[in-house]
């Protein structure tokens, strides 16, 4: 009975991050859905740098299961790998920020 309960308690990633292409100045949103709430040590990264909630970086959580990262007003240098980690679970995706080509 205890073993069964322990197996049920291990969350899994139901829906992982998806790679996103956006233009300079736009917002990029990444969402990761977990099978159930209560996972500790949730962290977002961009190219190995931990992200924190601020004006440019919006980190939110819905029902403890749906974790969302929105990067506002992105620039070319924001292109890279976005990683979501919740305990032992990891999901990664690419962010490609495209410049706006000016027509001559």
């Amino acid at each position: 009975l205890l073993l069964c309960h322990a197996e049920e308690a291990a969350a899994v990633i139901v829906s992982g991050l998806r790679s996103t292409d956006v233009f300079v100045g736009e917002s990029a949103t990444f969402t990761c859905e977990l099978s159930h709430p209560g996972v500790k040590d949730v962290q977002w990264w961009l190219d190995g740098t931990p992200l924190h909630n601020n004006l440019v970086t919006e980190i939110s959580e819905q029902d403890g299961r749906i974790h969302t990262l929105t990067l506002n007003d992105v620039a070319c240098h924001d292109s890279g790998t976005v990683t979501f980690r919740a305990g032992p679970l990891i999901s990664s995706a690419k962010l490609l920020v495209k410049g706006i080509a000016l027509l001559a």
Side-chain angles (χ1 to χ4, degrees), residues 1-103:
L1 192 70
L2 281 173
L3 182 64
C4 180
H5 181 74
E7 285 175 8
E8 287 175 2
V12 295
I13 293 175
V14 176
S15 172
L17 303 185
R18 296 206 176 128
S19 293
T20 303
D21 293 8
V22 294
F23 287 105
V24 168
E26 292 183 337
S27 294
T29 299
F30 294 87
T31 302
C32 191
E33 182 180 344
L34 303 178
S35 57
H36 52 267
V39 179
K40 304 287 184 220
D41 302 324
V42 172
Q43 179 69 59
W44 290 91
W45 309 76
L46 176 58
D47 273 349
T49 303
L51 299 174
H52 303 282
N53 220 353
N54 55 41
L55 291 172
V56 182
T57 307
E58 294 176 35
I59 297 171
S60 63
E61 181 183 304
Q62 186 180 339
D63 301 330
R65 293 175 46 241
I66 300 170
H67 297 266
T68 304
L69 167 70
T70 301
L71 301 171
N72 294 309
D73 195 20
V74 295
C76 287
H77 65 78
D78 291 320
S79 291
T81 301
V82 172
T83 303
F84 170 80
R85 197 176 85 208
L89 308 173
I90 294 178
S91 180
S92 293
K94 295 283 186 193
L95 169 61
L96 176 62
V97 180
K98 298 181 281 194
I100 298 169
L102 298 175
L103 299 174

